[in-house]
Amino acid sequence: MRNISDIIEQYLKGILHQSPEGTVEIQRNDLADRFSCVPSQINYVISTRFTLEKGYLVESKRGGGGYIRIRRIELPGPTSLHTHLHHTIGDEMGQTAAEGLIYQLEEARFLNSREAALMRAAISREVLMLKLPERDRLRARIMKAMLISLLG
């Protein structure tokens, strides 16, 4: 059984998928009423599942006519993807950023779920048992090597 956060996330992703502009504008209270939850639950879902690392830009306006706008940031086409990845990864990459990039590539269907799971396992801090910043440097090199192999 899925929890309320998963249901809200899937609902918002469905709306984003149907939007020709890749943007959705919602009111926190309306969404909370729709799912019979507190507005802070909506905040939690948006702040943890719609992050920049995962390929989303979130704008928020508070007040009486306030809204939350979520926009999907599209990856570049296959021809410029390698350049984009090289610049995104750089010489060092933290675990959160790496997992966000893997998530974004999986959502865009550049990676399947098995490839994404293998990548997440290979770049985790529990596997890369080095001190910072060497761990982030190694993670960046691993990410580049895996993505070149998978997307090359």
Side-chain angles (χ1 to χ4, degrees):
M1 183 170 175
R2 298 184 328 170
N3 66 36
I4 188 71
S5 295
D6 294 337
I7 294 167
I8 295 167
E9 175 187 14
Q10 289 308 309
Y11 173 78
L12 291 172
K13 284 183 177 178
I15 294 172
L16 277 166
H17 183 70
Q18 293 173 357
S19 168
E21 304 88 31
T23 302
V24 63
E25 195 170 291
I26 57 165
Q27 296 212 324
R28 188 180 351 259
N29 289 335
D30 291 345
L31 201 56
D33 289 343
R34 178 182 186 85
F35 291 102
S36 300
C37 66
V38 294
S40 62
Q41 182 73 40
I42 305 301
N43 291 343
Y44 169 78
V45 171
I46 291 170
S47 66
T48 60
R49 303 192 184 191
F50 293 90
T51 63
L52 190 56
E53 292 89 4
K54 292 183 178 180
Y56 298 96
L57 184 61
V58 177
E59 300 172 53
S60 178
K61 180 182 176 232
R62 299 195 180 269
Y67 60 85
I68 297 172
R69 184 179 298 137
I70 304 170
R71 184 168 52 107
R72 177 92 174 120
I73 301 170
E74 295 300 322
L75 285 171
T79 55
S80 60
L81 184 61
H82 288 281
T83 303
H84 171 73
L85 292 173
H86 182 73
H87 291 310
T88 301
I89 296 171
D91 293 330
E92 294 182 12
M93 186 169 225
Q95 185 166 340
T96 302
E99 288 176 349
L101 179 58
I102 292 167
Y103 175 87
Q104 193 175 9
L105 290 167
E106 185 179 10
E107 284 282 303
R109 291 188 163 67
F110 284 105
L111 300 175
N112 64 40
S113 61
R114 186 168 188 243
E115 293 164 342
L118 286 168
M119 289 186 72
R120 278 191 288 276
I123 56 97
S124 76
R125 65 179 58 93
E126 290 80 19
V127 171
L128 305 177
M129 295 180 62
L130 298 169
K131 293 188 185 223
L132 292 174
E134 193 56 39
R135 180 174 59 216
D136 288 350
R137 289 186 193 122
L138 179 59
R139 182 179 292 114
R141 290 193 306 271
I142 290 170
M143 287 286 292
K144 285 178 185 176
M146 292 177 92
L147 290 171
I148 287 168
S149 176
L150 289 168
L151 303 175

